[in-house]
Amino acid sequence: MLRPTRLLLPVLLLLAIVFGVRHLLQPGLAAPDWIAAEVNGMAYDVRLPAAPVPGRRYPVVLYLHQLAMGTDRATLHTQIDPWFDSAAFARHPAIVVVPRLDQSHDPGGRLVNFGGKRTGGADEVNAIDALRAVVTRFPADLTRIYVTGNSMGGMGTWDMMLSYNAWTGTRGRIFAAGLPLAGAHRTADPDDAAARLRGVPIWAIHGARDPEVSLDWDRAMAKRLQGQPNFRYTEDPALAHDVWDTWYRRPEVWDWLFAQRAPAPAHFPSG
C-alpha cells in the first residue's frame, strides 16, 4: 500500500508545474517519502506530514547532517529515516528539510560545512535558502521553525542559533529553538555567545565520553547559561560521540522542541 505522502506526490508535481516551482519536482528512488530539490547548486530533501489536514500549518525542522553523510543520499536516509519514522517524532506532524552537502572533494569538511567551524560555512546560507523555499511553498507555521543537527550538523546548529534565532539573531530571526547534538563552535566567544543566547530555547546534548568533538564548548555554555529556564544541557555518561541514535528516538526531546514558539513569524534575510 502506498503511504499517504507518496499519494501526495502527483499533486505536488501538478502544483509545481502550475505555479512554476521547478526545483521541487523529484520524489527520490532512494528515499521515496522525500522530495528531492536543489537551491544554489546544493541538493536538499523535503518530507511533508503523512496525512496533512487542509488549512493547517505545520512546524518545520531543519536537520543538518554529520560529516560526509550528505554525499550519498541513500546512506543518509538509512541513518535518518528511522528517527523521523519513530513514534516519538510521529507525535508531532511536521515538515522536515534536509540539506545534503557533497563533501566528496572535501572529506574533512574544512570548507564544505554548515558553519561553526574555523573555515568554510557558505552552505549555511544555502541551507537557509532551502528552508526559505520550503516555507514559502508549503503550509508552514512560521513561529515554529527549528534547527537540529549532529556532530558537524551540531556545530552548524550552534552557529545558526547565533545568527538566526528568533530573538537576537544577527542575520535573520527564524528559529524558535535549537537542538545541537555532539556539537560545538570553533570560533565564537563563549561569553559573547551566552549573552546573545540568554533566554533563547536551546537543548544541547553531548556524550560524556566523546573522543571526537570536545565537550568544552557545551560545558562552557552550560556554565554561563545555568539557571536560564529555556536552556538545557544533557551530558550522557553512557555515550561517546554517537548520541543521536539514542536521543533522536526519545519522545521528551521532540516534545520539548515542538513546544517552543517564536515571538513573531520568521523573518529571513533579504536575498
Side-chain angles (χ1 to χ4, degrees):
M1 177 181 294
L2 292 175
R3 296 185 183 182
T5 305
R6 296 183 190 179
L7 294 174
L8 282 173
L9 292 175
V11 177
L12 294 172
L13 293 174
L14 178 61
L15 288 173
I17 294 169
V18 172
F19 293 105
V21 186
R22 289 186 294 272
H23 72 297
L24 290 175
L25 288 177
Q26 306 250 345
L29 295 177
D33 288 337
W34 297 79
I35 305 165
E38 184 178 298
V39 64
N40 305 334
M42 182 197 73
Y44 66 98
D45 290 344
V46 183
R47 189 176 190 179
L48 302 178
V53 177
R56 179 176 175 182
R57 292 193 169 272
Y58 291 91
V60 181
V61 175
L62 177 66
Y63 167 74
L64 308 177
H65 63 75
Q66 70 187 94
L67 181 69
M69 290 301 292
T71 303
D72 181 75
R73 189 170 189 251
T75 300
L76 174 63
H77 284 284
T78 296
Q79 180 187 52
I80 71 173
D81 284 10
W83 309 334
F84 296 120
D85 285 337
S86 69
F89 189 84
R91 291 151 59 105
H92 307 280
I95 300 168
V96 184
V97 184
V98 181
R100 293 188 282 117
L101 302 189
D102 182 353
Q103 296 175 302
S104 56
H105 299 293
D106 185 22
R110 189 175 67 87
L111 297 176
V112 180
N113 58 68
F114 295 115
K117 302 187 77 171
R118 296 191 186 282
T119 55
D123 284 292
E124 177 177 292
V125 175
N126 292 333
I128 294 296
D129 284 346
L131 180 63
R132 185 209 316 263
V134 171
V135 302
T136 299
R137 289 162 173 81
F138 296 111
D141 182 344
L142 296 181
T143 66
R144 299 175 67 206
I145 302 177
Y146 313 109
V147 60
T148 186
N150 51 318
S151 194
M152 180 187 78
M155 295 180 188
T157 299
W158 274 113
D159 199 56
M160 288 195 185
M161 287 304 291
L162 286 168
S163 297
Y164 299 102
N165 81 75
W167 288 263
T168 62
T170 56
R171 302 178 69 179
R173 303 288 172 90
I174 300 172
F175 297 113
L179 181 67
L181 276 63
H185 203 294
R186 302 299 194 202
T187 60
D189 175 74
D191 290 328
D192 177 66
R196 289 160 56 187
L197 294 174
R198 197 170 301 276
V200 176
I202 294 176
W203 187 350
I205 300 171
H206 218 128
R209 299 185 289 113
D210 190 339
E212 297 185 40
V213 176
S214 170
L215 286 79
D216 290 351
W217 170 266
D218 279 353
R219 288 174 173 174
M221 297 305 291
K223 179 180 179 180
R224 287 161 174 79
L225 293 171
Q226 184 176 7
Q228 290 293 308
N230 291 328
F231 179 80
R232 296 185 179 192
Y233 175 52
T234 297
E235 189 170 303
D236 193 321
L239 297 177
H241 187 53
D242 179 356
V243 293
W244 41 90
D245 280 320
T246 296
W247 285 89
Y248 273 147
R249 298 172 190 267
R250 299 187 66 157
E252 64 267 31
V253 169
W254 299 115
D255 290 350
W256 174 86
L257 189 71
F258 286 107
Q260 310 308 314
R261 189 177 293 272
H267 175 72
F268 285 78
S270 58

